[in-house]
């Protein structure tokens, strides 16, 4: 079901000419199961308990890093993405992690501008950690850098970085 959510959510990219992103393969069932088994996956459900959104986290250089967040378009604009992100912020805070990071398309309205409204700030390239640089390099290798990308961070604790 989560793979279907990812595919449906990705279709919005086709509408803005980003066909390669719309066609990007969602995580495999095995990859999703690994996130779940490790306690780094959260799912939003509808009134019938059917999954309608999800968020996956990895640890990168001492921060929680949002690897993927997707909400089915039939359930978009209901605060589900925000709620999932706030759960992860609380999860990170509870583990003493100083921040939550993600990478995003700079000019896609439901990407970087949205995350800025949720308290994330764009990190200048010189502030990227080695782990974030590796993620950006991997994204470039997959063709994601064909559109402007940014790394972003939201501080969640007062712990030194």
């Amino acid at each position: 079901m989560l793979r279907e959510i990812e595919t449906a959510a990705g279709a919005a990219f086709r509408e803005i000419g980003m066909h390669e992103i719309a066609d990007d393969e969602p995580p495999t069932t095995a990859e999703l199961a690994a996130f779940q088994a490790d306690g780094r996956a959260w799912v939003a459900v509808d009134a019938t308990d059917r999954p309608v959104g999800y968020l996956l986290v990895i640890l990168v250089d001492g921060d929680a890093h949002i690897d993927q967040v997707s909400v089915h378009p039939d359930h978009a604009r209901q605060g589900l993405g925000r709620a999932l992100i706030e759960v992860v912020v609380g999860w990170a805070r509870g583990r003493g992690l100083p921040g939550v990071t993600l990478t995003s398309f700079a000019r896609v309205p439901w990407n970087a501008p949205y995350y800025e409204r949720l308290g994330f700030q764009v990190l200048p390239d010189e502030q990227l950690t080695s782990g974030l640089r590796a993620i950006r390099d991997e994204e470039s290798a997959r063709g994601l850098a064909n559109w402007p990308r940014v790394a972003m961070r939201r501080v969640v604790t007062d712990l030194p970085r």
Side-chain angles (χ1 to χ4, degrees), residues 37 40-42 44 58 66 79 87 89 124 129 147 155:
R40 296 178 293 110
W42 292 266
I58 59 176
I66 297 174
V87 166
V89 167
T129 64
W147 301 273
V155 174

Side-chain angles (χ1 to χ4, degrees), residues 22 32 130 153-154 159:
L32 293 167
S130 61
R153 185 170 189 265
R154 177 172 162 182
L159 298 175

Side-chain angles (χ1 to χ4, degrees), residues 70-91:
S70 293
V71 174
H72 193 284
D74 291 346
H75 298 273
R77 305 188 65 81
Q78 298 175 19
L80 297 175
R82 176 186 301 262
L84 286 165
I85 289 168
E86 292 305 324
V87 166
V88 168
V89 167
W91 179 84

Side-chain angles (χ1 to χ4, degrees), residues 48-124:
T48 65
D49 208 34
R50 289 181 50 87
V52 295
Y54 73 97
L55 187 148
L56 307 174
V57 167
I58 59 176
L59 296 176
V60 176
D61 299 326
D63 281 339
H65 179 81
I66 297 174
D67 189 59
Q68 183 63 44
V69 59
S70 293
V71 174
H72 193 284
D74 291 346
H75 298 273
R77 305 188 65 81
Q78 298 175 19
L80 297 175
R82 176 186 301 262
L84 286 165
I85 289 168
E86 292 305 324
V87 166
V88 168
V89 167
W91 179 84
R93 185 179 294 118
R95 280 153 186 75
L97 302 177
V100 176
T101 60
L102 54 83
T103 58
S104 184
F105 292 106
R107 297 187 188 132
V108 175
W110 62 88
N111 272 206
Y114 171 75
Y115 298 122
E116 285 178 328
R117 292 192 302 273
L118 299 183
F120 287 85
Q121 296 180 333
V122 173
L123 293 171

